Amino acid sequence: MQRRGFLGGLAALYGAGAFGLCLPLGATPAHAGRDHANDWRWLQGNWNVRHRRLQERLVADTRWVDFTGTSAVWLTLGGLGTIDDNLMQLPGGAYRGLGVRAFDPASATWAIWWLDGRAPSRFEAPVRGGFSGTGGSFRGADSFKGQPIQVWFRWHDIHAAQPWWEQAFSADNGVHWEVNWRNWFTRTAAIPSPLPLQSDAPRDFDFLVGRWSVQHQRLRERLSGSNRWDHFDGTLHNWPVLGGFGNVGDNVMNFPAATVRGMGIRAWDASSGQWLSWWLDGRDPTRIGAPVRGGFVDGVGTFMGDDQLRGQPIRTRVIWSRITSRSARWEQAASADGGATWETNWISDFERQA
């Protein structure tokens, strides 16, 4: 069940003016034209969170449920991305979820995705927007019980001692809005640290937690017969999320022409018995790429997925090997013939720094 689908019901209907008006289509965002690397710096760190949600949705329910939680928020992509790891102590049991944000300079907007730790095989559709003054507004489209809805995130008092957030749905394309979740944040640490791990969490990616220096070799052109390789260095900072059922890496790669940043995001899917691994490229921060899936056997991890290259379908294979307490190797290969033959196009050797 998704977070939005899991939410308790909504309060009485609010008119669009009561909840705050959106920009008209094509209007210039108020947050355009400024440096956005600090947009979320106020949220960096660890937090105690007080939640209120409603039990039913889109039925004018007024029964609120109160519970507590914790959150850890890291800046990524040089400040143009964030990861927030969340633990919510619902009355029926703990619930974990992961928020991913990335800024798109072309539209001057942030995208926010959500991964539900109970069903971690897909990200929910993003909301998009930005900040003005002491608040932020983010809108997107989704569905509820098979019907299209609009979703609205709003942040308030972001520079105060207790910033707060609310979510609302609209079933009539934004004419009326129902608020269904609010939460209030109290900081416990300015520097983020991982939330406690679950005792039953898989240990496959424990080796990758920490800070690394990386030596990369990358084939300049894939599946073209090229044998020209670029060599460059980089760094990785990786930490556990979802109680250890996920992990996230913030990557810096010093390509010959420019520095490139990206986020690697992994989650364990108990229903399939596989890890899923996604990549968010800082050069194209409007989307999260299709995942590769797989697991570890005898200390070697193999992950497979589908992709496209020059408009044609290909298979992608990722292998983790040579894993020690101080080092590891990652290799990527592509196949244009359904896996009959493979071309290695990227090799990364990791050396632990911390």
Side-chain angles (χ1 to χ4, degrees):
M1 186 182 298
Q2 301 174 12
R3 174 177 63 163
R4 294 171 193 159
F6 174 82
L7 291 180
L10 309 172
L13 285 169
Y14 287 83
F19 196 66
L21 292 172
C22 285
L23 286 169
L25 222 60
T28 301
H31 45 276
R34 70 165 191 257
D35 178 13
H36 294 273
N38 292 310
D39 278 1
W40 293 96
R41 192 166 297 276
W42 57 273
L43 192 58
Q44 181 177 241
N46 288 78
W47 301 82
N48 286 334
V49 187
R50 179 169 61 89
H51 295 266
R52 298 197 78 201
R53 68 171 177 87
L54 284 161
Q55 294 186 25
E56 299 291 339
R57 287 157 292 171
L58 300 176
V59 294
D61 191 9
T62 59
R63 297 169 298 167
W64 290 88
V65 177
D66 295 276
F67 54 94
T68 62
T70 52
S71 181
V73 182
W74 291 264
L75 300 186
T76 61
L77 305 180
L80 296 181
T82 77
I83 290 290
D84 64 88
D85 188 28
N86 301 273
L87 170 61
M88 290 155 280
Q89 302 289 356
L90 295 168
Y95 160 43
R96 296 176 184 266
L98 186 67
V100 178
R101 305 181 184 93
F103 182 74
D104 173 30
S107 63
T109 59
W110 285 88
I112 306 174
W113 294 268
W114 180 257
L115 182 71
D116 189 323
R118 298 160 304 181
S121 62
R122 61 177 292 272
F123 283 89
E124 293 184 10
V127 294
R128 303 178 189 274
F131 292 95
S132 180
T134 62
S137 177
F138 307 86
R139 286 274 302 271
D142 207 336
S143 62
F144 173 66
K145 294 185 177 179
Q147 299 300 314
I149 63 169
Q150 293 289 309
V151 180
W152 199 344
F153 291 0
R154 294 188 77 196
W155 280 98
H156 306 268
D157 302 331
I158 62 174
H159 301 302
Q162 192 175 71
W164 61 284
W165 171 93
E166 64 184 349
Q167 176 180 266
F169 291 167
S170 173
D172 55 14
N173 202 32
V175 176
H176 300 90
W177 291 92
E178 295 180 329
V179 176
N180 56 55
W181 198 328
R182 290 189 173 107
N183 50 45
W184 294 262
F185 288 69
T186 302
R187 187 187 300 279
T188 58
I191 299 175
S193 59
L195 301 183
L197 304 182
Q198 294 180 227
S199 60
D200 59 342
R203 309 300 300 271
D204 294 328
F205 278 101
D206 284 6
F207 75 92
L208 197 57
V209 172
R211 295 183 180 273
W212 301 81
S213 61
V214 190
Q215 297 297 320
H216 297 278
Q217 306 172 58
R218 186 185 67 143
L219 193 63
R220 291 187 183 180
E221 296 180 30
R222 291 183 292 168
L223 299 176
S224 67
S226 172
N227 60 1
R228 296 180 299 166
W229 290 77
D230 288 323
H231 299 259
F232 51 94
D233 63 6
T235 60
L236 166 70
H237 180 198
N238 183 276
W239 57 91
V241 293
L242 301 176
F245 286 84
N247 67 94
V248 175
D250 186 29
N251 298 263
V252 179
M253 296 165 288
N254 297 312
F255 281 28
T259 296
V260 173
R261 297 176 181 268
M263 280 191 276
I265 307 158
R266 303 174 191 88
W268 171 255
D269 179 18
S271 65
S272 65
Q274 292 184 314
W275 285 94
L276 284 79
S277 180
W278 295 266
W279 177 254
L280 190 154
D281 191 324
R283 297 167 298 180
D284 183 14
T286 62
R287 66 185 188 93
I288 297 175
V292 292
R293 303 166 183 262
F296 287 82
V297 176
D298 297 328
V300 175
T302 303
F303 304 84
M304 309 283 289
D306 296 309
D307 205 345
Q308 284 198 345
L309 178 66
R310 295 187 286 271
Q312 300 299 314
I314 64 170
R315 294 284 286 166
T316 298
R317 183 183 68 194
V318 167
I319 295 177
W320 283 99
S321 65
R322 304 187 187 185
I323 297 169
T324 75
S325 62
R326 306 294 305 175
S327 62
R329 169 168 282 195
W330 177 93
E331 299 178 62
Q332 179 179 270
S335 173
D337 54 17
T341 60
W342 292 91
E343 175 192 77
T344 298
N345 54 57
W346 200 319
I347 301 172
S348 301
D349 288 304
F350 293 74
E351 181 179 354
R352 181 175 298 281
Q353 300 300 307

